[in-house]
Amino acid sequence: MKVVILAGGFGTRLSEETSIRPKPMVEVGGRPILWHIMKLYSHYGFKDFVILGGYKVEYIRDYFLNYRGKQTDYTIDLKTGRVEWLQGVSEDWNVTVMDTGPDSLTGGRIKRAKHLIGDESFCLTYGDGVSDINIHDLVEAHKASDSWCTLTAVTQPGRYGALRLDEKNSQVKAFREKGAVDGGLINGGFFVCEPEVLDLIDDDRTTWENEPMERMVEMGKLGYYHHQGYWQSMDSLRDKMVLEASWADNPRWKVWKD
């Protein structure tokens, strides 16, 4: 199952960092937050990634093109250019980096990757949030449902809009409900989707969180998985500082082994 990661936005609320790099490449503990997200998925065996870039996509391309050289010792013959890779750390990932344009909205980026996603179920997430969610459990919950999309509901106080849920049927009844509804559960950004959702996206100007998800609510095809563990987005410099402090002390999203 492919893992599609939205990584093309401008990240304006983190302009201190994103003026020079895309938000998913902002580092936590010396690694891009994108890397942390991919490590989570790969821990559960999901290692085929499609990264949907846009704003400053060249940073993402360069990172993965040079990934092995930065992580692994090597000997290079400067005359011939032959490289012998020595002992070091790398990842057994398959990574596709796609430029979906600087101005496409989230739905449009996903739609543009239809030929890469194919006709199979796929995971979808944003490139700016970490969690200790069990991806296997999320996928199994989706498979057991009749939903076209299963989102992850998490608890987060403050500025977000809460979900209104039908707990009996594990369905989302309203996506942009405001206020402390259902204990303030919000969309945590870890999805499992069926390919049918791609037909609900009109064009580049479609926001994934608006028309497609609202249509699924009306159809009874938007389910949810309640994750009660750790979740943290990186929307501001303060959020980055929270993540940095956690990484130095006890990074609860680090479920993988070094």
Side-chain angles (χ1 to χ4, degrees), residues 158-165 172-182 184-187 209 214 217:
R159 59 191 180 275
Y160 299 90
L163 303 166
R164 182 160 59 87
L165 307 176
V172 178
K173 303 304 292 181
F175 184 67
R176 299 178 66 83
E177 187 77 12
K178 296 294 184 179
V181 182
D182 292 308
L185 294 179
I186 65 163
N187 167 29
E209 301 80 8
E214 289 167 359
V217 169

Side-chain angles (χ1 to χ4, degrees), residues 17-88:
E17 294 274 358
T18 57
S19 61
I20 59 173
R21 74 191 82 187
K23 189 177 179 183
M25 297 304 292
V26 174
E27 294 185 352
V28 174
R31 299 275 195 163
I33 193 168
L34 177 61
W35 176 87
H36 292 264
I37 296 166
M38 296 169 76
K39 288 290 285 187
L40 170 67
Y41 277 99
S42 66
H43 173 75
Y44 290 103
F46 298 87
K47 302 179 180 182
D48 192 355
F49 298 97
V50 178
I51 301 174
L52 306 182
Y55 172 68
K56 296 187 180 294
V57 66
E58 63 273 13
Y59 280 79
I60 301 174
R61 287 174 167 165
D62 289 346
Y63 180 76
F64 288 106
L65 281 174
N66 297 297
Y67 189 90
R68 188 174 183 181
K70 291 181 178 180
Q71 309 301 323
T72 307
D73 297 337
Y74 60 84
T75 299
I76 182 170
D77 185 326
L78 295 180
K79 182 178 181 179
T80 65
R82 186 177 66 86
V83 177
E84 178 185 357
W85 297 104
L86 307 175
Q87 185 176 4

Side-chain angles (χ1 to χ4, degrees), residues 5-16:
I5 304 178
L6 290 159
F10 291 97
T12 54
R13 286 188 288 184
L14 196 60
S15 58
E16 299 90 344

Side-chain angles (χ1 to χ4, degrees), residues 116-229:
L116 297 174
I117 295 170
D119 297 323
E120 300 179 352
S121 305
F122 62 98
C123 292
L124 171 69
T125 193
Y126 304 110
D128 63 356
V130 292
S131 175
D132 62 353
I133 182 173
N134 187 311
I135 302 297
H136 279 161
D137 289 349
L138 169 61
V139 171
E140 290 305 310
H142 174 75
K143 288 180 178 179
S145 73
D146 188 38
S147 299
W148 283 5
C149 174
T150 299
L151 63 77
T152 300
V154 300
T155 302
Q156 173 72 19
R159 59 191 180 275
Y160 299 90
L163 303 166
R164 182 160 59 87
L165 307 176
D166 177 354
E167 296 185 10
K168 180 178 179 181
N169 298 308
S170 293
Q171 287 188 345
V172 178
K173 303 304 292 181
F175 184 67
R176 299 178 66 83
E177 187 77 12
K178 296 294 184 179
V181 182
D182 292 308
L185 294 179
I186 65 163
N187 167 29
F190 291 87
F191 306 91
V192 183
C193 302
E194 297 303 313
E196 285 84 353
V197 303
L198 300 173
D199 295 327
L200 301 178
I201 301 171
D202 296 326
D203 52 35
D204 281 355
R205 307 311 300 166
T206 302
T207 301
W208 165 246
E209 301 80 8
N210 290 346
E211 295 91 344
M213 300 192 75
E214 289 167 359
R215 289 169 184 169
M216 283 187 278
V217 169
E218 294 171 359
M219 299 165 63
K221 290 295 186 179
L222 181 60
Y224 75 94
Y225 170 80
H226 186 187
H227 173 60
Q228 302 185 54

Side-chain angles (χ1 to χ4, degrees), residues 93-111:
W93 300 346
N94 184 63
V95 182
T96 299
V97 180
M98 180 181 179
D99 183 1
T100 58
D103 299 318
S104 298
L105 300 182
T106 49
R109 297 188 192 283
I110 300 167
K111 185 83 167 185

